[in-house]
């Protein structure tokens, strides 16, 4: 690597701090990501600004914004960090590492991915898959994870992104709950049953898709749960009706632990995507897992349509 005569590269620590702060547009979130104090982040950025001879951030009330110089520098450094992470990961892979670390959210892992992993392991016994769950998006440049399955709109700078599956939700509940209620004939009949929810307006949007106008407070008295997995467990226990993704509860539907009273499906704005560092697109274990995931998702969605 060459540099201009007389120019010394800034300390890597300061560069790393700036890249994180620019990506988050927040000194606080950069500090959390890097395990530093906010004061330490501010110090490193001041150090870098002194070195380049220009301010990189505008310090505004309760937020920061990139200056013109900072905006020019940020994408270059993000790409550089990504390439470095990819290079080190490739060395580890070339050294014979067969561990594939995957990050995703709990329901995707427990209700869809993990039950299928045996098929991948049987086809590729030299690759060991480790799955971690969590709500926060991880920083792939840190090297802790190889690949992720994320819910969102498919825009994550610096990452390769592949659409995996849409998210369609519909009311699911136990047959016993319907029997106790004397059955339901119209979508509005669900208002007589306990409604489980995670996002406040989801039930209102589903009723609108089903042609029913209901008040905004339709689920105010229902039980709020954070994940589809938890809502599915409560619904199976006969304690309420949950808006769930049938792809994640295919076994429960097949065994009639859960039933779908109405055919109306509500498509969410987001979808599930496969993501990983663009620089690691051709790493063999990532390519194998990516193609397997895409094939599994296609088969699952085809089976749902046929059903």
């Amino acid at each position: 690597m060459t540099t201009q005569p007389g120019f010394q590269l800034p300390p890597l620590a300061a560069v790393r701090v700036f890249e994180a702060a620019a990506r988050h547009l927040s000194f606080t979130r950069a500090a959390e990501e890097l395990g530093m104090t906010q004061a330490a982040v501010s110090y490193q950025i001041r150090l870098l600004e002194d070195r380049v001879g220009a301010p990189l951030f505008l310090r505004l009330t309760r937020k920061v914004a990139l200056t013109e110089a900072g905006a020019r520098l940020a994408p270059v450094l993000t790409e550089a960090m990504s390439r470095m992470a990819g290079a080190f990961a490739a060395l580890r892979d070339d050294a014979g590492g067969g561990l594939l670390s995957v990050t995703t959210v709990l329901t995707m892992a427990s209700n869809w991915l993990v039950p299928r992993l045996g098929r991948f392991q049987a086809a590729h016994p030299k690759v060991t898959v480790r799955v971690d769950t969590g709500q926060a998006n991880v920083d792939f440049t840190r090297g802790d994870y190889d690949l992720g399955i994320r819910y969102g709109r498919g825009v994550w700078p610096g990452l390769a992104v592949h659409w995996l599956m849409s998210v369609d939700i519909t009311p699911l509940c136990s047959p016993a709950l319907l029997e106790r209620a004397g059955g339901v004939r119209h979508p509005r009949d669900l208002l007589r049953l306990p409604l489980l929810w995670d996002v406040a307006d989801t039930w209102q949007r589903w009723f609108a898709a089903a042609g029913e106008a209901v008040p905004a407070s339709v689920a105010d008295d229902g039980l709020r749960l954070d994940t589809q997995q938890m809502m599915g467990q409560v619904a199976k226990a006969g304690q309420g009706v949950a808006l769930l993704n049938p792809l994640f509860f295919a076994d429960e539907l097949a065994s009639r632990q859960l039933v779908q009273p109405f055919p109306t499906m509500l498509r969410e704005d987001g979808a599930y995507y496969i993501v990983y560092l663009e620089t690691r697109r051709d790493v063999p274990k990532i390519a194998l897992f990516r193609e397997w995931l895409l094939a599994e998702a296609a088969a699952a969605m085809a089976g749902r349509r046929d059903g």
Side-chain angles (χ1 to χ4, degrees):
M1 177 176 169
T2 60
T3 59
Q4 295 179 2
F7 179 79
Q8 251 188 336
L9 285 174
L12 183 58
V15 172
R16 183 71 182 92
V17 167
F18 168 76
E19 190 278 331
R23 183 161 28 86
H24 291 298
L25 286 180
S26 168
F27 288 6
T28 301
R29 291 182 63 190
E32 291 171 353
E33 177 184 311
L34 300 173
M36 303 170 66
T37 65
Q38 188 172 341
V41 167
S42 296
Y43 171 77
Q44 291 291 341
I45 289 172
R46 290 285 187 193
L47 192 67
L48 187 61
E49 289 175 326
D50 290 344
R51 180 63 65 89
V52 300
L56 300 174
F57 285 99
L58 297 171
R59 277 75 168 175
L60 307 174
T61 304
R62 296 185 180 178
K63 64 179 181 179
V64 295
L66 289 167
T67 63
E68 182 181 348
R72 290 204 315 267
L73 189 59
V76 177
L77 293 185
T78 295
E79 174 66 16
M81 292 292 180
S82 174
R83 288 186 176 278
M84 282 195 293
F88 281 113
L91 286 176
R92 182 186 62 200
D93 295 333
D94 291 344
L99 176 66
L100 179 77
S101 295
V102 178
T103 173
T104 189
V105 293
L106 179 61
T107 303
M108 162 56 78
S110 61
N111 288 43
W112 192 84
L113 177 60
V114 171
R116 291 169 163 77
L117 278 181
R119 292 200 283 268
F120 178 82
Q121 296 286 189
H124 307 286
K126 293 185 178 179
V127 179
T128 300
V129 180
R130 177 175 66 88
V131 179
D132 279 355
T133 61
Q135 298 299 319
N137 287 344
V138 305
D139 177 6
F140 286 94
T141 65
R142 294 171 67 96
D144 298 328
Y145 297 95
D146 299 296
L147 178 145
I149 303 174
R150 285 184 178 175
Y151 177 80
R153 307 238 175 143
V155 180
W156 292 285
L159 299 182
V161 178
H162 305 267
W163 183 88
L164 183 64
M165 64 175 70
S166 58
V167 176
D168 298 305
I169 58 175
T170 191
L172 302 183
C173 61
S174 74
L177 179 65
L178 291 186
E179 186 177 346
R180 290 199 305 271
V184 292
R185 298 184 60 190
H186 305 286
R188 199 171 187 85
D189 294 339
L190 293 177
L191 295 173
R192 296 189 278 109
L193 302 174
L195 302 181
L196 312 174
W197 60 286
D198 57 351
V199 179
D201 69 340
T202 310
W203 271 109
Q204 189 181 19
R205 290 190 290 118
W206 182 84
F207 276 113
E212 298 279 4
V214 297
S217 59
V218 60
D220 280 359
D221 296 330
L223 179 62
R224 180 175 184 176
L225 298 162
D226 288 337
T227 69
Q228 290 247 315
Q229 186 192 47
M230 286 192 288
M231 287 197 294
Q233 291 296 323
V234 175
K236 280 195 298 182
Q239 297 177 25
V241 186
L243 284 170
L244 301 173
N245 182 351
L247 283 178
F248 288 169
F249 296 91
D251 290 343
E252 289 85 350
L253 287 165
S255 64
R256 288 192 60 79
Q257 295 178 76
L258 291 172
V259 294
Q260 180 181 343
F262 301 104
T264 301
M265 304 287 286
L266 175 66
R267 174 151 295 183
E268 295 284 51
D269 291 337
Y272 282 101
Y273 294 85
I274 302 168
V275 298
Y276 50 86
L277 287 175
E278 179 64 53
T279 53
R280 303 193 67 207
R281 179 182 291 272
D282 297 325
V283 171
K285 64 184 180 182
I286 291 177
L288 285 173
F289 200 67
R290 176 188 67 222
E291 297 309 312
W292 175 80
L293 281 173
L294 292 170
E296 286 286 331
M301 288 184 288
R304 177 66 189 168
R305 287 194 297 269
D306 295 342

